[in-house]
């Protein structure tokens, strides 16, 4: 029961006081009994910060604040995209190898720290949306996949582990200590600038008026849309139990032969914008490409 109240209280915090921390929220509930009552607490009997943090730990199945180690190789910025164009996957070979790997290993589900959160999201939120008809036809869903920048910091913070700089050596390749090791720098093609943080990749319900998210997933900022799609599509397929996805809509950043292959392998029909820059790299083989040429820029239903 305490768990439900804590969750309810935290959701209330997110809805009403974006930007404040748990400590301040507890002060707020003490000051304004209204917030405590809405949370389900007795005014004057509000739990401490520890209750909240113990609860958060139960939602995330990993110990430690970060998934990656703080000590990492010096990170390079990814390449800029061309002006006004979606960045083409810089390494089609990488996407191809990744797709081949995930198809070989698709039967084996790996546990993710985010699984408890997704389980909660699916059973308590998606199920309700599905029942209300907000996601579309559950037996023939149309899903769309796209990434968006998720900025966490203006500058990446890191400390050196060596004394190269002090010695005047410019060419240093020693590892550094990063304070946010799961984040890095990415290229925001819409705003044409670099950003630091995550790449939020979302699989959403496209065949409804609401475009509700079905599988939100944080990836490193430097990750290309096509790589994120591969990771998300496989994870989603293994976890989503509420219906069947029939169509997958993706933008031109995903126009790589390996992506068609993966989506096809999942028994889903791919609809992908053609990337004018990829024509010279991609062999127009197979009937999928021929089929898709006709439905270029197909508007979302
Ligand atoms: Zn060094």
């Amino acid at each position: 029961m305490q768990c439900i109240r804590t969750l309810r209280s935290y959701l209330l915090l997110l809805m009403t006081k974006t930007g404040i921390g748990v400590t301040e929220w507890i002060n707020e509930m003490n000051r304004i009994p209204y917030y405590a009552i809405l949370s389900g607490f007795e005014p004057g009997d509000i739990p401490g910060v520890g209750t909240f943090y113990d609860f958060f730990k139960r939602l995330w199945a990993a110990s430690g604040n970060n998934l990656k180690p703080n000590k990492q190789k010096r990170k390079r910025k990814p390449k800029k995209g061309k002006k006004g164009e979606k960045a083409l996957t810089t390494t089609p070979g990488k996407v191809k190898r990744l797709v081949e790997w995930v198809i070989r290993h698709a039967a084996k589900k790996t546990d993710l720290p985010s699984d408890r959160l997704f389980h909660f999201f699916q059973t308590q939120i998606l199920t309700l949306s599905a029942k209300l008809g907000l996601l579309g036809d559950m037996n023939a869903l149309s899903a769309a996949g796209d990434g968006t920048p998720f900025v966490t910091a203006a500058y990446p913070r890191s400390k050196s582990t060596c004394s190269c700089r002090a010695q005047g050596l410019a060419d240093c390749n020693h590892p550094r200590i990063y304070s946010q090791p799961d984040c890095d720098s990415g290229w925001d093609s819409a705003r044409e600038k670099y950003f630091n943080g995550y790449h939020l990749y979302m699989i959403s319900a496209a065949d409804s008026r609401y475009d509700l998210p079905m599988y939100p997933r944080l990836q490193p900022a430097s990750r290309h849309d096509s790589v994120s799609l591969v990771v998300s599509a496989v994870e989603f397929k293994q976890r989503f139990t509420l219906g069947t996805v029939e169509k997958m809509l993706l933008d031109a950043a995903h126009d790589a032969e390996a992506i068609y292959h993966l989506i096809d392998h999942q028994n889903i029909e791919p609809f992908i914008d053609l990337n004018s820059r990829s024509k010279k790299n991609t062999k127009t083989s197979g009937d999928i490409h021929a089929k898709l040429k006709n439905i270029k820029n197909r508007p979302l239903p």
Side-chain angles (χ1 to χ4, degrees):
M1 201 50 201
Q2 186 73 339
C3 264
I4 296 168
R5 290 194 203 103
T6 312
L7 173 67
R8 191 161 140 172
S9 185
Y10 189 62
L11 290 175
L12 188 64
L13 153 64
L14 296 178
M15 289 192 303
T16 57
K17 304 266 164 187
T18 327
I20 75 166
V22 172
T23 311
E24 208 175 318
W25 173 240
I26 289 167
N27 292 338
E28 198 74 359
M29 284 194 287
N30 278 313
R31 238 187 339 264
I32 307 160
Y34 176 69
Y35 288 136
I37 294 163
L38 283 178
S39 302
F41 301 130
E42 291 279 338
D45 188 20
I46 294 160
V49 186
T51 306
F52 280 84
Y53 282 100
D54 287 344
F55 175 65
F56 297 157
K57 273 186 207 147
R58 296 175 60 179
L59 292 176
W60 189 252
S63 55
N65 291 335
N66 306 298
L67 295 175
K68 291 181 185 162
N70 289 88
K71 191 170 174 179
Q72 287 185 25
K73 268 198 318 202
R74 181 185 283 266
K75 292 172 185 172
R76 306 276 173 217
K77 277 184 182 175
K79 272 187 196 150
K80 287 183 186 182
K82 259 194 187 168
K83 202 179 161 107
E85 280 184 0
K86 278 274 175 185
L88 171 70
T89 155
T90 41
T91 49
K94 187 176 154 192
V95 178
K96 187 167 176 276
R97 283 193 300 277
L98 179 64
V99 167
E100 284 165 359
W101 191 91
V102 297
I103 286 178
R104 272 205 310 278
H105 295 83
K108 192 174 168 281
K109 185 180 153 194
T110 330
D111 291 334
L112 294 172
S114 55
D115 277 348
R116 287 175 197 168
L117 272 174
F118 182 71
H119 176 75
F120 170 77
F121 181 60
Q122 176 156 254
T123 54
Q124 307 303 314
I125 297 167
L126 281 182
T127 304
L128 221 67
S129 303
K131 273 187 195 147
L132 294 169
L134 301 178
L135 303 178
D137 177 0
M138 297 309 287
N139 296 314
L141 282 169
S142 290
D146 203 6
T148 187
F150 189 101
V151 180
T152 58
Y155 298 97
R157 283 180 164 224
S158 67
K159 278 185 277 199
S160 64
T161 56
C162 61
S163 57
C164 295
R165 245 187 93 115
Q167 291 169 33
L169 298 169
D171 196 20
C172 163
N173 279 313
H174 292 108
R176 298 179 68 82
I177 309 283
Y178 288 86
S179 60
Q180 285 189 314
D182 296 332
C183 298
D184 62 5
S185 304
W187 177 251
D188 179 348
S189 62
R191 292 170 191 84
E192 290 181 16
K193 61 174 195 180
Y194 283 107
F195 71 99
N196 298 297
Y198 297 103
H199 176 215
L200 171 62
Y201 196 88
M202 286 238 261
I203 293 179
S204 48
D207 214 359
S208 74
R209 287 168 56 196
Y210 310 98
D211 284 328
L212 291 177
M214 296 195 288
Y215 193 73
R217 169 76 149 93
L218 290 178
Q219 313 262 3
S222 63
R223 193 157 280 180
H224 190 269
D225 270 353
S226 58
V227 175
S228 299
L229 178 269
V230 176
V231 175
S232 288
V234 173
E235 290 175 1
F236 180 66
K237 179 92 179 171
Q238 291 171 338
R239 287 162 180 80
F240 185 72
T241 55
L242 303 176
T244 311
V245 178
E246 198 171 65
K247 299 186 189 82
M248 187 67 149
L249 293 90
L250 303 164
D251 70 18
H254 302 80
D255 182 18
E257 215 168 318
I259 304 283
Y260 290 98
H261 182 53
L262 172 72
I263 308 284
D264 216 41
H265 183 82
Q266 295 190 324
N267 289 320
I268 297 172
E269 200 179 351
F271 290 87
I272 309 179
D273 264 353
L274 297 185
N275 191 330
S276 52
R277 291 170 64 204
S278 73
K279 274 181 191 156
K280 56 182 181 294
N281 303 336
T282 319
K283 273 178 274 160
T284 319
S285 71
D287 13 303
I288 308 170
H289 257 288
K291 203 161 74 186
L292 281 156
K293 256 188 186 149
N294 302 324
I295 41 174
K296 186 187 176 189
N297 295 327
R298 178 183 180 273
L300 298 186

